[in-house]
Amino acid sequence: MSKANSTGTRQREEEDEHGSAHGAAGEQLSTAPREERPDTGAGVPAMSVIGWVRWFWRQLTSMRVALILLFLLSLGAIPGSLIPQTSVDAMKVQAFKERHTTLTPIYEALQLFDVYSSVWFSAIYILLFVSLIGCIVPRTGQFVGQLRSRPPGAPKRLTRLPAYTTWRTEAEPEEVRATALRLLRGRRFRGHEVGDAVAAEKGYLREAGNLVFHIALIVMLIAFASGQLFKSEGGKLVVEGDGFSNTLTQYDDFKSGSLYDSDSLAPFSFVLDDFVGTYEKSGPQRGTPRTFEARVTYNEGADGAERKGVIKVNEPLVVDGTKVYLIAHGYAPVVTVRDGKGKVVSKSAVPLLPIDNNITSSGAIKVMDGYKDKNGKKTQLGFKAFFVPTFAGHGKGQMFSQFPALDFPVLALSAYQGSLGVDSGLAQNVYQLDTSKMKEFKDKDGELLKKMLMPGEKLDLPDGAGSITYEGTEEWASFQISQQPGNGWALGGAVAAIAGLAGSLFIQRRRVWVRAVRGADGVTVVEMAGLGRSESAKLPEELGDLSAALVTTAPVAPEKPAASTSTDGPDATNEAGSRPVHPAEAPAEGAEK
């Protein structure tokens, strides 16, 4: 052990002496591992601020980072699809918060209820936008330079290219080259004559398709951003005979983008003349709508002439860039409420909300003004309403509609009196009845007063408190009025992106060279070769077709005894004789078949 230690000590001493003898140069040339490297300040130079900015820009504009950002954008859209969004339905967001008290603070901190306007989603969006622009600008300059330049001259040894063929002909070299140039240009190649060969290239649309694809992505990003910032969207329920004017006060609900100006609402109005709905009466599709349309009379502008229109599902009414969509349909029972003296205090069609596909509906009828009880005291009335357009009949199960059409309408009411709570200043759902400050009307058995009514029947309130009569039924339609700029640009961008992607995938860029020189025996030797800028299985086949076409004007010379079998130069003859060889039959050494 001591001998080994002394030997190692001598070696280290010799190395120290050797290093001292050679100085710093010896240290730099040494390949021995070092456990510690002192910081001499001569290592990797520190980058300046401009250097870091350039490095960051190169990383941001790389294709790798663009794909990562696109992937992150797709991931970021997932919670926007799974979690209720405030911009879409604030009521659903509130209900979600009430059900998930633990998750709500986390989601709020991560802005998951407002994904598309969150800081992190906007950052990804903007970085992707900048990255795409940074990719496109230099590539566009390169592409323009390629279009302005000419294909390069023929390599010295065409035999080394993946696709190659050759033959001998008695035609003059100049004639062969001129014919080859015309042939290639006729096949939409860009070509020119360089020295003893013709150089041609085809498939520039591949790069053009790539650029179109990226530019289309930018157009789509801009279109989506403008659509979110400047959009407006609102809903309106209209009963037959009633109308709508495109002003903010007319909407049942309204939401818009952060940069939207309410003064840009298109001036128009319409009246719902009639709603027409027919349904399949039998078979497995019983109850499926066959006709579902709203017939309206509309005016464009303040003084526009009246026009007739029909709004169907996915066939909106378009007025001055604003689209009116038909999204729902239901029934509105017409009821008349009278006080104890028989005076009519309310008569209106009350829309009820459907709860199933057969348009079983529920809602509330509220009488807020004009009613006095038997003592002359002002009070309010409320009725819970349940409506079926097609009643199954008494004793035939629960009261649910059997068919969506208005075949056997029945209205079930239960009556209350007191305060509706509308004077509290708090928002109230018009389709729900708050009975916390109301008293039930009682029947003769002391139970809640309720009754099922058919058209023309009435419910008498006890103690001469009045009555409510079911007069008939109107239909209502719900419309979505939306103004979203950029939709046309987004559609155009999507189509252009698909077209550009198809071009970049299926168009192959390739080069072809045709060399024609006079051999030592006076016979012209023709060589053709092709090179694909990307993998293409059709390149040998295309070169074979070109050679077959060229042979018609530069036919194969009669076979003569070959003086040499060398194939290293332009004076060489073909090993297969004087016939042209298909590129797949006689590839060059090391070339793909």
Side-chain angles (χ1 to χ4, degrees):
M1 178 67 70
S2 62
K3 183 179 180 179
N5 291 339
S6 62
T7 301
T9 303
R10 285 198 303 273
Q11 290 177 349
R12 284 193 297 272
E13 292 175 352
E14 292 175 358
E15 291 174 357
D16 292 341
E17 293 175 358
H18 186 271
S20 300
H22 291 284
E27 292 183 1
Q28 294 178 3
L29 293 173
S30 175
T31 59
R34 300 180 182 180
E35 295 183 1
E36 295 183 1
R37 182 181 294 272
D39 186 8
T40 61
V44 178
M47 288 194 297
S48 63
V49 175
I50 297 178
W52 279 109
V53 171
R54 289 177 177 174
W55 177 86
F56 178 78
W57 178 253
R58 286 195 299 268
Q59 299 301 315
L60 180 61
T61 56
S62 66
M63 184 60 66
R64 180 182 67 255
V65 172
L67 292 175
I68 292 174
L69 290 172
L70 190 61
F71 178 69
L72 290 177
L73 194 70
S74 302
L75 288 181
I78 294 177
S81 303
L82 301 178
I83 301 174
Q85 299 296 295
T86 304
S87 60
V88 178
D89 195 331
M91 298 296 293
K92 284 187 178 180
V93 172
Q94 185 61 36
F96 182 92
K97 291 180 178 180
E98 292 174 356
R99 292 194 308 268
H100 304 86
T101 56
T102 304
L103 290 175
T104 295
I106 301 175
Y107 284 6
E108 288 180 339
L110 297 176
Q111 298 179 300
L112 295 183
F113 294 117
D114 299 280
V115 168
Y116 303 111
S117 59
S118 62
V119 174
W120 56 270
F121 191 86
S122 300
I124 297 173
Y125 196 93
I126 294 172
L127 286 175
L128 177 60
F129 185 79
V130 174
S131 178
L132 288 174
I133 293 178
C135 288
I136 289 172
V137 172
R139 293 182 67 173
T140 302
Q142 295 173 3
F143 180 61
V144 172
Q146 292 172 0
L147 291 178
R148 298 178 62 183
S149 64
R150 290 185 170 188
K156 182 177 181 181
R157 295 188 177 183
L158 294 178
T159 56
R160 295 183 176 182
L161 298 182
Y164 172 82
T165 185
T166 180
W167 72 93
R168 292 154 51 88
T169 181
E170 294 181 349
E172 295 297 324
E174 295 79 6
E175 180 183 355
V176 174
R177 291 194 293 267
T179 303
L181 184 58
R182 288 196 302 271
L183 173 64
L184 290 169
R185 287 177 176 175
R187 301 283 181 101
R188 297 189 301 277
F189 278 83
R190 287 198 319 136
H192 66 120
E193 191 171 344
V194 185
D196 60 358
V198 172
E201 189 169 8
K202 186 178 182 180
Y204 285 94
L205 288 179
R206 177 184 178 88
E207 183 62 21
N210 203 355
L211 292 174
V212 167
F213 173 74
H214 287 83
I215 293 173
L217 288 182
I218 292 181
V219 172
M220 292 172 64
L221 289 175
I222 294 175
F224 292 148
S226 63
Q228 291 295 320
L229 293 174
F230 297 98
K231 73 173 183 179
S232 68
E233 184 177 281
K236 179 62 177 180
L237 187 150
V238 183
V239 179
E240 288 177 331
D242 291 344
F244 167 79
S245 180
N246 194 27
T247 59
L248 286 178
T249 56
Q250 289 279 299
Y251 283 93
D252 295 331
D253 60 86
F254 184 84
K255 52 182 177 290
S256 61
S258 57
L259 298 181
Y260 180 77
D261 183 5
S262 59
D263 293 335
S264 62
L265 283 172
F268 72 92
S269 61
F270 68 86
V271 175
L272 177 60
D273 299 325
D274 186 25
F275 180 87
V276 179
T278 60
Y279 308 89
E280 187 67 35
K281 291 184 175 296
S282 60
Q285 293 187 339
R286 185 176 185 270
T288 302
R290 296 305 181 200
T291 304
F292 201 82
E293 60 186 37
R295 298 173 181 175
V296 299
T297 300
Y298 67 97
N299 302 75
E300 184 174 357
D303 302 319
E306 289 189 352
R307 301 178 183 177
K308 296 290 183 179
V310 177
I311 307 175
K312 301 179 181 179
V313 177
N314 296 327
E315 295 183 18
L317 174 68
V318 182
V319 183
D320 195 15
T322 301
K323 295 183 178 180
V324 182
Y325 293 91
L326 174 63
I327 60 174
H329 158 257
Y331 295 104
V334 180
V335 295
T336 301
V337 179
R338 294 178 173 85
D339 61 13
K341 298 180 180 180
K343 178 184 176 182
V344 175
V345 295
S346 175
K347 183 176 182 179
S348 62
V350 182
L352 304 180
L353 293 183
I355 60 175
D356 62 18
N357 291 333
N358 287 327
I359 318 186
T360 303
S361 307
S362 66
I365 300 172
K366 302 178 182 181
V367 180
M368 293 176 283
D369 299 308
Y371 177 78
K372 296 180 181 179
D373 61 13
K374 61 180 180 180
N375 298 322
K377 181 180 178 182
K378 291 184 178 181
T379 187
Q380 296 174 335
L381 299 178
F383 301 88
K384 288 184 177 180
F386 196 86
F387 176 79
V388 291
T390 302
F391 184 46
H394 293 284
K396 294 184 179 180
Q398 298 178 340
M399 186 180 172
F400 283 92
S401 180
Q402 305 301 304
F403 194 70
L406 202 64
D407 293 341
F408 187 5
V410 172
L411 176 65
L413 298 174
S414 55
Y416 299 82
Q417 65 175 340
S419 174
L420 294 169
V422 295
D423 300 328
S424 63
L426 300 176
Q428 191 177 91
N429 192 328
V430 296
Y431 302 103
Q432 294 180 353
L433 185 65
D434 182 8
T435 60
S436 59
K437 298 180 180 180
M438 304 190 78
K439 295 181 180 179
E440 300 176 350
F441 280 104
K442 303 292 185 179
D443 59 14
K444 60 182 179 180
D445 297 325
E447 301 293 335
L448 172 64
L449 179 65
K450 53 186 177 180
K451 186 177 180 180
M452 297 171 58
L453 306 176
M454 289 188 292
E457 296 182 344
K458 69 177 180 177
L459 169 63
D460 290 319
L461 302 178
D463 300 328
S467 65
I468 179 170
T469 304
Y470 173 29
E471 306 286 358
T473 309
E474 298 285 352
E475 298 186 60
W476 58 259
S478 182
F479 300 94
Q480 176 181 297
I481 300 94
S482 63
Q483 183 179 2
Q484 189 163 6
N487 280 349
W489 285 98
L491 177 61
V495 173
I498 295 174
L501 184 61
S504 65
L505 292 177
F506 297 110
I507 297 176
Q508 303 298 325
R509 189 174 175 189
R510 61 270 194 203
R511 290 172 178 169
V512 173
W513 292 275
V514 181
R515 173 175 285 145
V517 296
R518 194 179 303 278
D521 57 356
V523 179
T524 300
V525 178
V526 181
E527 291 182 292
M528 293 186 69
L531 176 64
R533 299 294 299 275
S534 58
E535 293 293 334
S536 175
K538 293 185 177 181
L539 180 61
E541 180 181 350
E542 184 177 27
L543 189 66
D545 294 339
L546 289 170
S547 64
L550 186 58
V551 163
T552 59
T553 55
V556 177
E559 185 174 352
K560 295 180 180 180
S564 173
T565 58
S566 175
T567 59
D568 292 335
D571 297 334
T573 58
N574 185 9
E575 291 182 359
S578 60
R579 69 176 179 87
V581 180
H582 193 279
E585 295 177 358
E589 181 181 354
E592 297 183 1
K593 291 187 178 180

